[in-house]
Amino acid sequence: MRSYGQYCAMAKALDVIGDRWTLLIVRELMVLGACRYTDIREGLPGIATNLLAERLRELEAAGIVARREAPPPIATALYELTARGRQLEPLLDELGSWGLQYMSAGPAPGDQFRSRWLTWPAQQFLTDHQPQEPPVSIEAQVGEDSIVIETAPEGVRARPGTAEHPDATLSGAPHALLALLSGQLDLAAARAKGVQYSGSPAVLRRLQPLAFPASRPAAAS
Amino acid sequence: MRSYGQYCAMAKALDVIGDRWTLLIVRELMVLGACRYTDIREGLPGIATNLLAERLRELEAAGIVARREAPPPIATALYELTARGRQLEPLLDELGSWGLQYMSAGPAPGDQFRSRWLTWPAQQFLTDHQPQEPPVSIEAQVGEDSIVIETAPEGVRARPGTAEHPDATLSGAPHALLALLSGQLDLAAARAKGVQYSGSPAVLRRLQPLAFPASRPAAAS
DNA sequence: CCGCATCCGGGGCGATACTG
DNA sequence: CAGTATCGCCCCGGATGCGG
């Protein structure tokens, strides 16, 4: 991208990550961890293949993404975030928190969706209220692919994939699941909007926000 | 901007504020408060006038900026952030915090600078360690225009303008002043880099970071 | 099939000129 | 002062090709 030519921290940041698609590529790498070119592309419906390749090169040159030849069993390269790339997580969190206000209306006509995009609200809004209890996991899916939400020592983690023996399963329309995960709806209200939940309600209650917070919680401290 | 067409909070946010120059316009309005078209333009060296006008229209349509006809004495319109626009402040803070790593090398050849851009590091990194003491103010300038850094009940505030009787004055090269404000340099080291400080060192010590923090402090809690 | 590179049309952007 | 108008270019989107 053409530099703004301003000696200002925000302008310098935008010089590096202000290009179209760039932050969404970082989002995919944040969600997926080390992954293949095609895996990234699957999470970026609408991107032109040449643009993805070009952005990955730029991100590698900027020290945000590392490209690594995979060990023999896999015949391809893997992409992953560097330490500098992982430091973009608070920025993506803020971006999502601000953008959440545009989600309550539901998907616009033609909007694409991927289950993996639910990992962000899951980690952002769910908390383990009983960390001393045995770990639990919930499998959520919409459409083909699924994600796993599970308790961990550091807190609630979410990742694409499946769980062997999930304590609960969740499915439904994207906007209903998002509303449930972000605390806009409780389980009863979400069920009324078509959400299917199987398993003990206590599992979900252990993780859910306690009340209905404002759509944009006040900045921390 | 063309929509990403993804039902994801980050993508939706970028649909609104991902266009080139958009976040920098918000930055200027955050720094200046209600101001005229020309005032904004002065803080955005390099922008084409039609782009600024177009972006302001888009930001107004998105409910981020309000355009208001000024009262009679002034024969022009004023622009200011709406509540939704002010909610972008944490995002700009994160953007600046991440971009700060590119500032330590000093300005690139041809980089522009405005004193007002120092208001962000001043508010981000300075703290009033003696809030019960009488308020103090520091005037800082580089080149033509100056800013005022002053203590307030809510914490340290910085704004473009001048102080009537500043307790201290500060001037020097942009990168040296930034290093001083962000805690990368103490006063002695900054003076060695050409910073001029007049006034009691205690005034600056009252506000300065106590130690030399890492360039990117860990995310809160 | 994966991971791109190439090509081409259209629109966003940059620079300047111009106007009420 | 506060924009509008115009033009050229480059970035982007979409499709196709192609080597491993």
Side-chain angles (χ1 to χ4, degrees), chain B residues 1-212:
Chain B
M1 124 168 306
R2 183 194 180 100
S3 168
Y4 286 106
Q6 300 184 358
Y7 188 63
C8 158
M10 303 173 200
K12 290 294 177 195
L14 290 173
D15 281 349
V16 179
I17 47 91
D19 254 322
R20 190 162 164 79
W21 291 107
T22 299
L23 277 179
L24 295 186
I25 294 172
V26 174
R27 173 196 72 187
E28 287 303 308
L29 289 167
M30 203 84 78
V31 168
L32 296 173
C35 60
R36 300 170 304 169
Y37 182 91
T38 312
D39 300 326
I40 304 174
R41 190 181 173 185
E42 229 295 303
L44 294 171
I47 197 173
T49 70
N50 58 344
L51 266 192
L52 177 53
E54 184 182 339
R55 291 287 181 271
L56 284 171
R57 267 194 304 270
E58 295 166 354
L59 285 169
E60 192 184 357
I64 292 168
V65 164
R67 178 205 166 105
R68 162 166 63 91
E69 293 298 329
I74 313 169
T76 182
L78 292 180
Y79 296 89
E80 62 187 330
L81 292 177
T82 63
R84 179 179 290 180
R86 285 190 297 273
Q87 286 176 341
L88 284 168
E89 185 165 1
L91 179 65
L92 288 180
D93 287 345
E94 283 299 335
L95 195 64
S97 295
W98 189 83
L100 199 66
Q101 62 186 311
Y102 298 103
M103 301 292 283
S104 54
D111 268 5
Q112 299 279 340
F113 183 78
R114 298 292 182 271
S115 290
R116 62 176 79 159
W117 298 341
L118 287 175
T119 58
W120 176 77
Q123 295 189 168
Q124 186 79 357
F125 298 107
L126 301 186
T127 320
D128 188 358
H129 297 117
Q130 300 165 331
Q132 72 285 5
E133 295 291 314
V136 294
S137 64
I138 303 177
E139 188 171 312
Q141 63 172 332
V142 32
E144 299 287 303
D145 47 328
S146 60
I147 66 167
V148 180
I149 304 166
E150 51 199 353
T151 59
E154 326 83 63
V156 175
R157 290 288 310 169
R159 55 175 174 83
T162 59
E164 299 192 0
H165 303 292
D167 300 284
T169 64
L170 201 53
S171 67
H175 75 275
L177 288 176
L178 175 65
L180 178 65
L181 293 178
S182 65
Q184 304 289 322
L185 294 180
D186 63 11
L187 182 52
R191 279 194 156 119
K193 300 223 169 195
V195 167
Q196 313 247 353
Y197 179 85
S198 74
S200 164
V203 175
L204 182 59
R205 258 199 313 270
R206 174 172 166 182
L207 306 180
Q208 246 186 326
L210 294 175
F212 296 171

Side-chain angles (χ1 to χ4, degrees), chain A residues 2 36-38 49-50 53 57 67 76 79:
Chain A
R2 183 194 179 102
R36 298 171 303 168
Y37 182 91
T38 312
T49 69
N50 57 345
R57 253 183 278 121
R67 177 205 166 104
T76 181
Y79 295 90

Side-chain angles (χ1 to χ4, degrees), chain A residues 117-131:
Chain A
W117 297 342
L118 288 175
T119 57
W120 176 77
Q123 295 188 169
Q124 186 79 0
F125 298 107
L126 302 186
T127 321
D128 188 358
H129 298 115
Q130 299 165 332

